[in-house]
């Protein structure tokens, strides 16, 4: 596994804050949380780079996106956003919040399983708990959508995409800083799991994955 910082591109720092935009200082807790993200060690199948974070969700934000790559195939992709409000947020019950979007394309017969949404949500919570992470106020949706092709596209096989949108409040540790590196690694575990990759180690042997046919078709 390689440190996440070696897998980040240098095109953008992925950060957005009203203070940095105005030439002010970034809160030490937020800076430490972002530095921890860059130190995380991820599976080699994950290609990670920073991206422009959404605005107006919090005074400070950092975002990255990742793709699970197997050879020339993109099996899954996702985005993770770290939000920070030094004044706290009533809905978060904390000063930090993690927001994610994860998606992958599945075999139609696998996606027809009526328990798939519950299973996918358990993958998220299970990934966090497997790394011993404490969190609260978790919420989100699991969506599956099918595509059938006609006319000039009729030769394409039907495709089904699964999408997880979620957010949770990471428990803050020393200095009010959550263990964002561990949360990123757990998120990477989720991405690889939804991509259908085999577990990375003996500790993950009980994890159930879904077979993959091809990567998501993202516009």
């Amino acid at each position: 596994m390689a440190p996440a910082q070696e897998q980040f591109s240098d095109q953008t720092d992925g950060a957005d804050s009203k203070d940095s935009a105005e030439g002010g200082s970034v809160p030490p807790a937020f800076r430490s949380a972002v530095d921890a993200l860059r130190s995380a060690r991820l599976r080699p199948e994950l290609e990670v780079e920073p991206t422009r974070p959404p605005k107006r969700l919090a005074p400070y934000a950092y975002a990255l996106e990742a793709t699970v790559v197997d050879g020339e195939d993109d099996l899954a992709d996702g985005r993770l956003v770290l939000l920070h409000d030094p004044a706290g947020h009533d809905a978060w019950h904390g000063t930090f919040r993690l927001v994610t979007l994860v998606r992958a394309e599945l075999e139609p017969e696998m996606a027809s399983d009526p328990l798939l949404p519950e299973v996918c949500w358990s993958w998220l919570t299970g990934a966090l708990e497997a790394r011993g992470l404490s969190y609260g106020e978790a919420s989100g949706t699991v969506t599956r959508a099918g595509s059938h092709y006609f006319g000039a596209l009729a030769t394409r096989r039907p495709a089904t995409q699964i999408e997880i949108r979620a957010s949770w409040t990471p428990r803050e540790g020393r200095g009010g800083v959550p263990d964002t590196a561990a949360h990123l690694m757990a998120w990477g575990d989720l991405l690889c799991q939804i991509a259908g990759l085999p577990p990375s180690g003996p500790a993950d042997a009980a994890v159930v994955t879904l077979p993959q046919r091809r990567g998501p078709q993202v516009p």
Side-chain angles (χ1 to χ4, degrees):
M1 296 184 185
Q5 60 184 359
E6 295 179 2
Q7 299 170 317
F8 286 138
S9 75
D10 295 327
Q11 297 177 355
T12 172
D13 62 6
D16 180 46
S17 75
K18 61 182 181 182
D19 281 2
S20 61
E22 297 169 358
S25 61
V26 175
F30 180 68
R31 186 180 299 278
S32 296
V34 172
D35 288 344
L37 287 175
R38 291 180 176 274
S39 71
R41 302 186 67 84
L42 306 174
R43 288 181 58 162
E45 297 92 343
L46 281 167
E47 294 186 355
V48 184
E49 62 181 8
T51 187
R52 185 64 59 187
K55 298 182 178 180
R56 296 182 294 276
L57 292 181
Y60 303 91
Y62 181 88
L64 56 85
E65 56 188 12
T67 303
V68 181
V69 178
D70 182 16
E72 297 182 354
D73 296 326
D74 294 350
L75 302 182
D77 65 10
R79 183 178 295 112
L80 184 69
V81 181
L82 175 68
L83 303 176
H84 178 53
D85 187 341
H89 195 291
D90 291 341
W92 302 352
H93 290 181
T95 62
F96 285 90
R97 186 76 171 172
L98 285 163
V99 182
T100 188
L101 163 66
V102 172
R103 53 194 171 184
E105 192 172 307
L106 307 174
E107 291 285 0
E109 56 269 24
M110 298 301 299
S112 64
D113 186 339
L115 296 179
L116 182 64
E118 288 81 3
V119 170
C120 287
W121 183 256
S122 72
W123 288 347
L124 169 61
T125 58
L128 295 171
E129 292 163 5
R131 291 190 176 271
L133 294 170
S134 297
Y135 63 94
E137 308 304 318
S139 62
T141 61
V142 177
T143 304
R144 53 184 164 186
S147 298
H148 294 264
Y149 301 96
F150 301 93
L153 301 178
T155 56
R156 294 188 182 183
R157 296 179 61 184
T160 302
Q161 189 179 79
I162 192 74
E163 179 181 277
I164 303 173
R165 293 178 180 268
S167 63
W168 65 95
T169 299
R171 181 180 179 182
E172 297 171 13
R174 181 178 301 178
V177 182
D179 188 352
T180 50
H183 281 270
L184 174 57
M185 289 187 289
W187 181 72
D189 295 340
L190 170 65
L191 265 174
C192 291
Q193 190 169 2
I194 198 173
L197 294 184
S200 60
D204 301 322
V207 169
V208 178
T209 57
L210 292 180
Q212 288 291 304
R213 173 161 52 88
R214 55 182 180 275
Q217 303 298 315
V218 180

